[in-house]
Amino acid sequence: MKTNILNRLRQLGAALTLTATLAGCGWVHEGITECPAQLRLKFVYDYNMKFADAFPAEVKSVNVWAFDSQTGAPVWSGAASGAELTPEGGYIMETTLDAGTYDFVAWCGLTEGSALKLATYQPASKQELEVTLQAAQEETRLVSDTELPGLYHGMVSAYTYAPDVTKPDYQTVTVPLTKDTNAVRVLLQNLDGREINPADFTVEITDANSMLAWDNAVLAGPTVTYTPWEVRYGSVGTGTPNAQTADASRAEISTVATMLNELSLSRLIAGQESWLTDTQHRRTAHHPHTAHRLSAAHQGALRLDVGSGVSRPSGRLLDPLLHRRHQQLVYRLGHLHQLVGCRAAADRLHLIT
């Protein structure tokens, strides 16, 4: 009886060992197969005013390269676009990388026909992954007057991939993205109700930010003049409380002529001088020409500093706030703007980024 019990225990132990082995990574004639392992990439764009991952909604293409962290040599690259980026459950890019330590560089949003050009898609080193804005040569200056598609940069350095050989191991690297392109809207208002003739005004932004390095730094390069890719004008009615009326809730309705200039430009960074210039071609003593320095304010908005060409110190911008712009960066407490008075308060100039 005792012998039977011991034999049964031995058989049970052998069965449990076999089960554990088979449940590991498979059984072949002479041993255990390699456990499946893979390194994957997940792209996230939550560095924005939406406070949510906007990657599925905004990013239209992905190009990413992996470099050996020790030698700097390229070892793998991947690309995807369109519907590939919006599967159910989110987009994950699979790689064929073996164990090692890698640097990843991603440029997202590059499209054929865009004015933003990548130097090469087959780099010998990550330093070759530069993006340049192709501006048009007009006489003595470079001009960009097109709407730039959203350009995003991502980077992960020295990620060590060491899969566990004893069990299936799928590791996911999160690549955070930063948006480099900016939409700037400049609104000119005529408060006395007269119409604004678009031919009478010119709005421009100048900045030497047309060349971006592999690590997203702004490289030294020529100054580019950004002009509106679209200009809209018309008139709107505004309500102004009338202190003369008995009913304070009543308002006087006035008509304000407006001209909205939409500009699209490359990366803005703290410490880099950008200038907004609005010129009235029919010059008067009140408003012949005004230049404003675009700078970064504490609140994360782009501020207009009225100047005479002399740079003024500006508030220090915390890096996370630099990229939280695009429509909501100018205070966003209802309808607040950065305001500059022009022509004896008859005109108003707003910067809406």
Side-chain angles (χ1 to χ4, degrees):
M1 174 71 71
K2 186 176 180 180
T3 302
N4 288 338
I5 293 175
L6 288 174
N7 287 336
R8 299 241 173 178
L9 288 174
R10 290 191 188 97
Q11 293 172 1
L12 179 60
L16 289 174
T17 302
L18 179 61
T19 301
T21 301
L22 292 175
C25 295
W27 181 266
V28 293
H29 296 295
E30 298 178 352
I32 303 174
T33 62
E34 273 190 28
C35 289
Q38 189 176 56
L39 185 64
R40 300 171 172 179
L41 303 179
K42 177 180 175 63
F43 302 88
V44 174
Y45 172 49
D46 57 5
Y47 215 26
N48 54 56
M49 285 298 293
K50 297 174 178 143
F51 302 102
D53 183 13
F55 175 86
E58 295 194 20
V59 179
K60 306 305 180 186
S61 68
V62 169
N63 291 92
V64 60
W65 297 263
F67 300 86
D68 186 290
S69 293
Q70 293 184 340
T71 66
V75 292
W76 174 86
S77 66
S81 61
E84 296 177 84
L85 302 180
T86 56
E88 259 185 63
Y91 176 68
I92 300 291
M93 179 178 282
E94 299 179 346
T95 78
T96 57
L97 292 168
D98 297 323
T101 301
Y102 303 104
D103 298 333
F104 296 93
V105 178
W107 284 110
C108 304
L110 294 168
T111 58
E112 189 175 349
S114 168
L116 296 164
K117 303 293 184 183
L118 183 67
T120 177
Y121 284 86
Q122 297 179 329
S125 67
K126 56 190 175 186
Q127 285 74 19
E128 294 183 4
L129 292 174
E130 296 180 358
V131 171
T132 302
L133 171 64
Q134 301 291 322
Q137 185 76 45
E138 293 187 5
E139 296 180 351
T140 60
R141 62 179 191 167
L142 293 174
V143 176
S144 175
D145 60 358
T146 61
E147 183 181 17
L148 302 176
L151 177 68
Y152 306 81
H153 175 270
M155 184 172 64
V156 175
S157 298
Y159 182 88
T160 299
Y161 174 48
D164 189 338
V165 298
T166 65
K167 63 180 180 180
D169 190 357
Y170 296 91
Q171 297 184 28
T172 302
V173 182
T174 298
V175 181
L177 300 179
T178 297
K179 189 173 185 179
D180 285 342
T181 46
N182 299 268
V184 176
R185 295 171 176 85
V186 180
L187 180 65
L188 180 66
Q189 293 184 333
N190 188 352
L191 300 185
D192 62 11
R194 289 180 299 159
E195 291 186 3
I196 296 178
N197 185 348
D200 291 342
F201 295 90
T202 299
V203 174
E204 298 175 341
I205 293 176
T206 55
D207 198 344
N209 62 347
S210 62
M211 300 172 62
L212 302 176
W214 67 274
D215 60 354
N216 213 26
V218 176
L219 297 172
T223 297
V224 174
T225 299
Y226 297 93
T227 59
W229 61 270
E230 183 175 23
V231 178
R232 286 176 283 175
Y233 61 98
S235 59
V236 295
T238 62
T240 306
N242 185 357
Q244 304 300 322
T245 61
D247 185 359
S249 64
R250 297 180 62 186
E252 291 181 348
I253 305 299
S254 60
T255 299
V256 177
T258 63
M259 183 175 76
L260 179 65
N261 299 265
E262 299 208 34
L263 302 93
S264 184
L265 53 152
S266 184
R267 191 177 187 210
L268 296 173
I269 60 172
Q272 180 98 356
E273 288 194 0
S274 305
W275 287 87
L276 165 66
T277 304
D278 62 287
T279 303
Q280 181 175 353
H281 300 298
R282 293 188 305 179
R283 301 196 169 199
T284 68
H286 300 290
H287 181 51
H289 176 92
T290 308
H292 315 283
R293 179 169 177 262
L294 285 178
S295 59
H298 287 92
Q299 295 86 349
L302 293 175
R303 189 178 64 204
L304 286 177
D305 284 340
V306 181
S308 58
V310 179
S311 301
R312 301 183 181 185
S314 62
R316 180 178 178 273
L317 179 70
L318 297 179
D319 190 60
L321 294 177
L322 180 60
H323 308 284
R324 293 176 178 177
R325 64 263 201 247
H326 191 71
Q327 295 187 5
Q328 298 186 0
L329 261 185
V330 178
Y331 298 155
R332 271 306 185 190
L333 298 177
H335 195 58
L336 293 178
H337 316 289
Q338 286 292 355
L339 178 63
V340 174
C342 304
R343 208 173 62 187
D347 288 346
R348 290 196 302 188
L349 177 68
H350 301 272
L351 174 68
I352 310 171
T353 63

